[in-house]
Amino acid sequence: MATLASQAARAGFTDAARAVADLDDLTSAMARADGAAPVPTGLVDVLAQAADPDAALACLVRLVAAGGEVPGIVERGGEPLLRLVRVLGASRALGDHLARHPDQLAAMVTGGLRATAEEVLATLRAAVTERGGQSADDALKVAYRGRLLGIAADDLAAADPAAILPDVGVALADAADAALQVALDIAQRDVPGAAGVAMSVIVLGKTGGRELNYISDVDVLYVVEPAAGSPLGEAEVVAVGTRLAARLQQVCGGVTTEGSLWQVDAGLRPEGRNGPLVRTAASHGAYYQRWAKPWELQAMLKARVGAGDRDVARRWQDEIEPLVWSVAEREGFVEAARAMRRRVVEHIPLRDADRQIKLGRGGLRDVEFAVQLLQLVHGRIDDRLRSTSTLGGLEALTTFGYVGREDGADLDRAYRFLRVLEHRLQLQRLTRTHVLPTDDAAWRRLARAVLGPRATPDDLRARWREHQLTVTRLHEKLFYRPLLTAVARLSVADVRLTPEAARARLRALGYSDPDGALRHLGALTAGVSRRAIIQRTLLPVLLGYFADGADPDAGLLGFRRISEALGNTHWYLRMLRDSAGAGERFAAVLASGRLVPDLLTAAPDTALLLGDGDRLRPPAIDSLRVEALAVAERTGDATEAIRAARVLHRREVIRTGIADVTEGLPVMAVGAALSGSATVALEVALRAAARSWLTARGEGTVGLAHALEALPTRILVVGFGSVAGEESSYGSDIDVVAVHEPRPDTDLEVAAGCARDVVALARQALRHPTAEPPIEVDAALRPEGRGGELVRSFDALVVYYQRRSQPWEHQALLRARPLIGPADLADRFVALADPMRYPVGGISDAVVAEIRRIKARVEAERLPRGGDPHRHVKLGRGGLSDIEWTVQLLQLQHAHEVPTLRTPSTRRALMAARDAGLLGGDDAARLESAWRFAARMRDAMTLWRGRPMDAVPVDRRDLDGIARLFGFTPGSASALEDEWLRMARRARTVVERVFFGWQ
């Protein structure tokens, strides 16, 4: 016994003692069988070839005890016994089937891969005809399982299962076709009126591709027409056809004592599960012509007739096939298909994500998806690619030059391995699963089933990861790398697309100017320089990233411009190649509008910001100020110092824009970063102008850090509007009021002239056209507006505000904050402004009426001529102006008693009004959502168009690009538009009630 137990343990049994007991039971069962000899001495070695020797032996004991032919097979040994043991060790479900139907042992011995489709159909039909006491449904299921038994035996007996994988898929599909036909036969006998209907069952998916799994839903479409000479009208034909289809699905999917075959899934039919179950060929054609989405036509790539009337199927194919092979011409086809693939990955349950061999990254679906896309793009003009199977399509793509030979071979090997793994996983219990197990025993059984009896779970995990990585790498590469070979000298092992094929692929990816894109690729990859070599490596991935963006053409053009500007700069290509996420961030920015790419093109060295996500965090304003002053200090004159400040501001705009595009920076963070860098640039400009003024008057050389303090007058710059509230957008001006206070014993005219000259020089230098974007300093809010003095004395400001200022100027003070200048002067300005903007007791009804009158006038006069008030995010209904005026009215009325309302920030004041109970929670939420959306919309429009915009564009391409910056999926222009109109409408309702007092 000890020797036998040791032998069992060496053979791979996990429970050697139980194995010895089962072998004793087998010996006893063999002795009871008529004429049976003892158990062969080599049986343990035969059982060692099973994926699960313990399960194989236990089932063998059951089968021998049942009698029949099994004892003889055990006695004789040899190939029949080995085939039986492999089936029993790999599939508990087939072992249970054999125990119930031992008469089907012959199917396992003879195998199932050699029979033709006609022979399979004849076998299943005969089983139903000669069913004895069984129901037709059960007879079909038993006969079908017999076919599975033979196919599995051949599959498990193969020395190289990957080599015969296509044959297995074909055999399983032939069995499914035959089962559908017999089920239709049964339905036609059972459904009244069936003789008047000609029905065709179109099979899709793996069944359509003749690459079926052991257990899988069978995807179908039902097409019906009146039978020859039938008196039935179309409505009656559809009604009878619906009953036929329902009965067919019951035969195949209904659960009886013999289980079920598989579910027949008609969910891919027109209109999905909400659509009619059956249609005529013409009805199918009308739907696919007018309404079908690209993915629906992509699903038809594998369509073929599986059962029923062939003439009806041909009429259906004539309607559908031309549409399938033109779907790639639709705008955004590849983009939409890839987005759908991403959604599939995102919806995988988290617990299964790392174990999914079908839907997960590097899984079967990635291979199938890549092959189908290439077939649809190039099969339109090359019908040699129109294979319905994945391996057949991949072989054609490789043979005819659309996929590199080495890549095609690698992908073929990976796909075959994954399919064999899927088959072995499903065989165990004949369940539809694509998720790898978690327990060690299951991994052990699976490893032996896939790789052989000596394999361990670690061996299988390593092979799986290896093929998974191969698929992931090639999935990214397949669609893009061949484009380079159309324009560059690459290895002969690489594919060479014709120019026409390259243009077709680029157009399908979403490039609107394929010829221009090919020229860019040629320029980027030509030659044998290190830069060209690295770019040939990078571009296959970057082209995919550009295609994910809203403007792939702009992305590729921007990459070319920046690459040429940086030349052989050592860090640039190394960053894109080696820094995690840098290439994806770079492509996203370049393909997502004009503002940041244009700024990057003018200052390509700032691309260094892309190398590390931490570099995208805006610096604190104090550290930015120190840096700006230090850089400007090293320059020779005011012009250069101010240019240095503008360069720094441009860098911060780029930094903010990159973070905004790639990370979705909150709108308040964008506003704070842009307001801070603009303020720093203004301060440096003022200090540089002050130093210039002092130098011109022979005052000697003064450092920038002390230049303002050395002037004969003290200058205070007060920010208004968005810069004061730290809510600037990319296109915002800096609204300021500048005042000065002469130092003791200073001539008043000299002081006034000094202040005026310094502020004027700083303003002019900041807006002067250069390579850096201008910074517009707007002083229109100063006393008496543009007709008043640019800078007036503080005392004159006090007199003006106390004697001549208007209510609207008090309202403007709500968004005022000292930015630059002496702290004591800033405090005095605040003390001057507070009684006017936060008046004790609030404001009178007359002032409220005046504010409302001015707002109505603004709405009537300031909106651009012909502008749609519903589309203007600043001045339109429910826009920024509406919300700001509503908040400001509440501040004027209540800030004297609610300190938290005393802020220049619209959003913070809005939240304070809510917290103080001045606004209901729902009203505040509506206003805050609309404010955020409008502010974000302004930012996105400027990022996209490269210049400030306040009106939602009507051009669908612009709208789609802006929607992408919001995080909407491709083609969501209408969704963005609808979202804005909805938010604005709800906000306007609050404004009319709270601000205007309308009920």
Side-chain angles (χ1 to χ4, degrees), residues 838 891 894-904 908-909 912-913 916 918:
Y838 314 134
Q891 289 177 293
H894 302 286
H896 66 283
E897 58 185 1
V898 182
T900 51
L901 283 173
R902 301 170 194 171
T903 170
R908 286 193 286 270
L918 302 175

Side-chain angles (χ1 to χ4, degrees), residues 113 155 158 160-172 210-214 364 391 412 415-424:
L113 295 184
D155 186 9
D160 183 3
I164 66 164
L165 174 70
D167 299 328
V168 172
V170 168
L172 290 168
R210 301 187 81 200
E211 49 189 357
L212 194 58
N213 301 331
Y214 280 98
L364 291 163
L391 287 175
D412 180 276
Y415 186 71
R416 287 174 187 263
F417 171 83
L418 291 171
R419 288 298 308 278
V420 169
L421 179 59
E422 178 187 44
H423 281 180
R424 299 298 182 266

Side-chain angles (χ1 to χ4, degrees), residues 315-607:
R315 287 196 290 274
W316 179 88
Q317 270 182 313
D318 290 343
E319 293 274 359
I320 304 305
E321 191 167 347
L323 302 177
V324 173
W325 295 110
S326 63
V327 67
E329 298 173 7
R330 294 190 180 188
E331 184 176 353
F333 160 69
V334 173
E335 188 177 60
R338 295 169 74 211
M340 184 180 70
R341 172 69 187 118
R342 286 193 296 271
R343 286 195 296 274
V344 169
V345 173
E346 290 165 1
H347 283 86
I348 298 173
L350 191 59
R351 66 181 182 276
D352 296 339
D354 291 335
R355 298 184 293 119
Q356 253 283 359
I357 61 174
K358 177 181 178 181
L359 302 179
R361 298 191 187 280
L364 291 163
R365 187 57 58 83
D366 275 352
V367 182
E368 293 159 358
F369 177 79
V371 170
Q372 287 175 29
L373 282 188
L374 291 173
Q375 284 181 286
L376 289 169
V377 169
H378 301 296
R380 178 175 57 88
I381 55 176
D382 190 345
D383 57 13
R384 297 173 299 178
L385 305 180
R386 299 183 182 183
S387 169
T388 58
S389 78
T390 300
L391 287 175
L394 178 58
E395 181 182 10
L397 288 164
T398 306
T399 300
F400 300 117
Y402 296 91
V403 172
R405 289 190 294 274
E406 187 175 328
D407 289 345
D410 287 346
L411 204 60
D412 180 276
R413 278 191 295 272
Y415 186 71
R416 287 174 187 263
F417 171 83
L418 291 171
R419 288 298 308 278
V420 169
L421 179 59
E422 178 187 44
H423 281 180
R424 299 298 182 266
L425 189 62
Q426 293 182 344
L427 263 176
Q428 173 63 12
R429 297 188 181 277
L430 284 183
T431 53
R432 183 175 176 268
T433 180
H434 308 94
V435 181
L436 291 169
T438 55
D439 61 290
D440 291 340
W443 267 100
R444 178 177 177 274
R445 180 175 60 247
L446 195 57
R448 290 167 61 94
V450 174
L451 300 178
R454 296 183 180 276
T456 67
D458 286 343
D459 295 335
L460 181 60
R461 288 188 181 98
R463 288 283 295 278
W464 170 48
R465 293 299 184 192
E466 172 193 338
H467 289 298
Q468 190 182 41
L469 290 173
T470 296
V471 171
T472 299
R473 173 177 60 84
L474 293 178
H475 177 69
E476 294 174 349
K477 175 182 177 183
L478 267 181
F479 217 76
Y480 308 111
R481 184 168 180 80
L483 293 167
L484 307 190
T485 64
V487 294
R489 290 174 177 265
L490 300 183
S491 162
V492 293
D494 287 311
V495 58
R496 291 191 178 278
L497 295 183
T498 65
E500 292 76 14
R503 289 189 194 97
R505 190 173 293 193
L506 284 164
R507 191 174 293 107
L509 284 166
Y511 289 83
S512 58
D513 181 12
D515 289 327
L518 288 173
R519 287 194 298 272
H520 299 324
L521 291 174
L524 286 163
T525 58
V528 294
S529 67
R530 180 175 176 274
R531 180 176 68 175
I533 292 169
I534 294 176
Q535 287 182 156
R536 286 199 290 266
T537 302
L538 292 171
L539 275 166
V541 176
L542 289 178
L543 281 169
Y545 291 154
F546 294 145
D548 281 337
D551 193 344
D553 299 83
L556 183 55
L557 173 61
F559 178 68
R560 177 181 175 182
R561 285 176 173 171
I562 293 169
S563 295
E564 289 174 347
L566 288 171
N568 290 313
T569 305
H570 69 282
W571 56 265
Y572 169 61
L573 291 175
R574 186 177 65 209
M575 174 193 74
L576 293 180
R577 183 190 63 194
D578 300 337
S579 297
E584 189 168 5
R585 284 192 292 270
F586 194 30
V589 168
L590 293 178
S592 297
R594 294 184 57 180
L595 180 69
V596 180
D598 287 351
L599 294 175
L600 276 169
T601 301
D605 56 305
T606 52

